[in-house]
Amino acid sequence: MPGLTRTVLARHPVAAALAGVLLLAIGAASAIVVVQRQAEAAVSATRLIGEVDEFNDELNRLLWEGISRDRTDPTVIAHIRTSVATFLERHHQLEEIGVAGADFHRQSTVYASSVEVMVDALDTGNRAEALVLHRAEVAPASEAVEESLDEMSAREDARAATLRRMSVVGTLAILVLAALVAWIMFSRYERARRLAHRAYHDPLTGL
C-alpha cells in the first residue's frame, strides 16, 4: 500500500498537491466552525452574566424598598424571594457552562443566605434589624458578587473577541488556499495547452 501511494504521488504530483491542499482547507474549515461556536458560546455567557447582574440590581432595589417602608408589603417580600430564586437559577446556569468558578459560587451563596435572613426580618416587621443586616452582610456580599460579575463579563468579552479574530484569520486562510488551488489548476491547464500546441504546430512558423 505505501508503494502504491508513492507511485500515485510520483505519477500525479499536481493531483496529489491539490488533494493535500483540499484536505488542509477542509480541516481549516472544520476548525473555523468550532471557533465560531466557541465565540457564540462566549457571547451567550456574556448575555447571561448581564441577566444575573440585572437581577442583582433589581434585588437591591427591592430590598431598599422594603427597608424604606414603615410596613413591608407582602407582595414586595414575595417578589424579593422570587428574585433570589431566579438569581440562584441564573447562577447555576453560569456554573453549568463553566463560566462561574468556586469563588463566585461561595459569594452567591453568602449573598443569597444574607438576603434570606434580611427578608425574614422584614417579614416580621423588624426594619431596624433588616437595616443592620443590609449594611453588615447584604451590601458587602452584593458588592463582591458585582465585582465577580464584572470580571467574568470582561473575561468572556475578551474571549469572544479573540475567537472572532481567529475565525476571520481562518476564513482568510481558506480563501488563500482556494486561490492557490485555482492558480495550480490554471497553471496546469496552461502548461498542458502549450504542450499540446507545440506538439501539433511548427515552433518556427506556428503552423
Side-chain angles (χ1 to χ4, degrees), residues 59-191:
L59 192 53
N60 283 324
R61 186 189 67 78
L62 290 171
L63 290 172
W64 273 113
E65 183 179 344
I67 295 174
S68 62
R69 294 189 178 188
D70 292 335
R71 185 175 181 181
T72 305
D73 189 343
T75 57
V76 174
I77 297 295
H79 197 175
I80 292 173
R81 295 191 190 280
T82 301
S83 296
V84 171
T86 305
F87 170 82
L88 290 175
E89 179 184 348
R90 294 292 188 275
H91 160 240
H92 291 320
Q93 291 177 356
L94 289 175
E95 286 187 326
E96 289 174 356
I97 62 177
V99 175
D103 288 342
F104 184 71
H105 176 81
R106 178 183 53 78
Q107 292 166 352
S108 297
T109 302
V110 170
Y111 179 47
S113 299
S114 61
V115 169
E116 288 289 349
V117 175
M118 179 180 170
V119 171
D120 289 340
L122 287 173
D123 200 17
T124 58
N126 195 338
R127 292 177 58 250
E129 181 183 354
L131 182 58
V132 170
L133 288 169
H134 185 273
R135 290 175 177 172
E137 299 181 17
V138 175
S142 177
E143 290 177 2
V145 167
E146 189 78 23
E147 290 177 0
S148 292
L149 289 172
D150 290 342
E151 291 174 0
M152 285 190 289
S153 181
R155 183 174 65 247
E156 292 303 310
D157 283 340
R159 188 166 76 96
T162 300
L163 290 169
R164 282 193 291 265
R165 285 194 295 270
M166 292 173 60
S167 177
V168 171
V169 171
T171 301
L172 291 176
I174 288 180
L175 292 176
V176 170
L177 286 173
L180 178 62
V181 170
W183 178 79
I184 292 175
M185 294 179 67
F186 178 75
S187 298
R188 179 67 173 175
Y189 167 76
E190 279 296 306
R191 181 172 179 273

Side-chain angles (χ1 to χ4, degrees), residues 21-40:
V21 172
L22 181 60
L23 290 174
L24 183 61
I26 293 174
S30 300
I32 289 173
V33 171
V34 173
V35 170
Q36 288 176 340
R37 288 177 179 173
Q38 290 177 346
E40 292 172 0

